[in-house]
Amino acid sequence: MYLAKFFHRAPGDDDRELMLVPGSDPMVIGVHMNWKGDRDADKFLRKEFSGIADAAAAFRRHVAKLVAAGYVETDHTNYTLRDLGPNPRAKPDWQKGLDELMILALSAPMAEQAAQLDVLKGTPAEHEPLYLWHAARCGKVAGEDLAQAVRLAEQARDTLVARRAAGQPHYAWSIYENDLEGRILELLSDVYLQADNPDAALKTIEHLCKTAPNHTRILKRAELLCGYFPERREEAFDDAFQWSRFGGYEDIMAFPGYEDYEAQRKAGTSSKGWRWKPGTPASEADVSKVEQVLGVRLPDDYRKFLLTRGETELLVRLPESSSELASMRLTNSPRSFAMSWTSLPIPRTSSKRPAPISVRNTASR
């Protein structure tokens, strides 16, 4: 993640970019825009910090220094940009406020984050998915009104989806849309669980595992399965058997029954190598509509499958790994009516797990 601010000073031949780079080794980087010199000499600043709080403080100082020198912050956000073009627009104050909220989320205690949320109330910022995500985070940590936290997280998700469908923009600083959506859904799964709704928590994280899988999300799904869905516990054991070398599966591997499962897998004597996940059967009306579009009647066996299984997944266990075959939702589109089977392999993961970029949930320093 690179959080970038861009600064313009007339006549525009010395515009600047300032980047805050969170992570295990946070940095602040300053770049000359419209650079005409040596390719590797375009940076006027590059400094590493021992912690994100120090990096955030330095970032703010350099922003203030540029503003004091006559630069105006522009509304650009793409950190790969190298030319601001003529007459760039100044960034609105509410967007600057959301930037500060994100910096606080990375570097400051929850009380300061909550104060910034209050500052942004009544501005366009409070309708943005980024704001709603942070507001839901604060509500989750406070734990005082979980229903409100769920509502805010759902609103963040729904607003992002609605803006995308309508072709309308949203403001999330330099955070990519898919990244923000993934963080919103992870939070939504967490608040569902905290609000004693494990079914919704699992449904949300399983959707994320299908659309944007990573190690953390697959582990979260396995933990939910193991803790709340005993009839599907073997799926969690299967994840642990495959991915425990990357860490995080210790609790699942300590669960009663895992040792026997592992021994059976290693000996090749485990139970049948496939099983269906619970699905969402298609209705007779949906099948009839598809047949009308196609002008044919579907084969009886296929109709039976649609009406009994529908949108579901077949888990196939191989000697050394497992895969999922997804039967997609039935639609009325001639292109996509078929219950197409798609292999969903678990994404490759580096043997060294990267340090996550996390927001702070501390109530005080």
Side-chain angles (χ1 to χ4, degrees), residues 327-346:
S327 172
M328 309 308 290
R329 180 173 59 89
L330 188 68
T331 73
N332 296 330
S333 167
R335 287 186 177 183
S336 59
F337 86 95
M339 306 294 283
S340 57
W341 292 100
T342 306
S343 178
L344 296 175
I346 301 300

Side-chain angles (χ1 to χ4, degrees), residues 37 288 365:
S288 297
R365 290 193 186 277

Side-chain angles (χ1 to χ4, degrees), residues 254-304:
F255 218 86
Y258 178 78
E259 287 187 3
D260 291 341
Y261 175 85
E262 182 182 38
Q264 291 174 358
R265 285 297 302 269
K266 289 180 177 179
T269 60
S270 57
S271 59
K272 67 181 181 180
W274 59 269
R275 62 185 179 277
W276 290 102
K277 278 187 177 181
T280 305
S283 67
E284 181 68 43
D286 288 337
V287 174
S288 297
K289 287 179 181 178
V290 166
E291 290 177 328
Q292 291 175 9
V293 171
L294 295 173
V296 297
R297 177 180 170 83
L298 297 176
D300 290 342
D301 287 347
Y302 189 42
R303 283 183 118 263
K304 182 179 178 181

Side-chain angles (χ1 to χ4, degrees), residues 18 30 59 96 108 212 226 252 269 276 346:
L18 195 64
F59 184 75
K96 295 179 184 178
C226 204
I252 293 174
T269 60
W276 290 102
I346 301 300

Side-chain angles (χ1 to χ4, degrees), residues 42-183:
D42 60 340
K43 296 181 178 63
F44 65 87
L45 171 66
R46 183 184 179 91
K47 186 173 181 180
E48 295 184 4
F49 297 85
S50 59
I52 186 60
D54 291 338
F59 184 75
R60 293 191 188 96
R61 287 196 301 270
H62 286 287
V63 168
K65 184 177 179 180
L66 288 171
V67 172
Y71 288 86
V72 175
E73 184 178 349
T74 73
D75 65 355
H76 299 86
T77 58
N78 182 359
Y79 69 87
T80 66
L81 192 65
R82 289 297 174 264
D83 187 344
L84 297 185
N87 303 316
R89 295 174 301 191
K91 178 178 285 189
D93 288 340
W94 67 266
Q95 291 184 1
K96 295 179 184 178
L98 277 177
D99 295 352
E100 178 61 19
L101 178 61
M102 188 66 208
I103 294 174
L104 290 170
L106 292 167
S107 62
M110 189 58 71
E112 293 183 32
Q113 299 174 45
Q116 182 66 10
L117 286 167
D118 288 339
V119 168
L120 293 172
K121 285 182 179 178
T123 74
E126 71 174 341
H127 304 293
E128 294 295 315
L130 182 64
Y131 177 96
L132 295 166
W133 170 51
H134 285 304
R137 281 183 46 253
C138 286
K140 172 183 178 293
V141 173
E144 297 175 355
D145 189 350
L146 288 177
Q148 173 78 345
V150 168
R151 185 187 68 79
L152 289 167
E154 288 178 337
Q155 189 177 350
R157 175 200 63 192
D158 296 343
T159 300
L160 194 61
V161 170
R163 298 269 186 98
R164 181 191 301 142
Q168 297 175 346
H170 67 93
Y171 183 80
W173 199 357
S174 299
I175 305 172
Y176 288 125
E177 181 176 306
N178 289 343
D179 186 8
L180 177 61
E181 185 172 34
R183 292 169 185 266

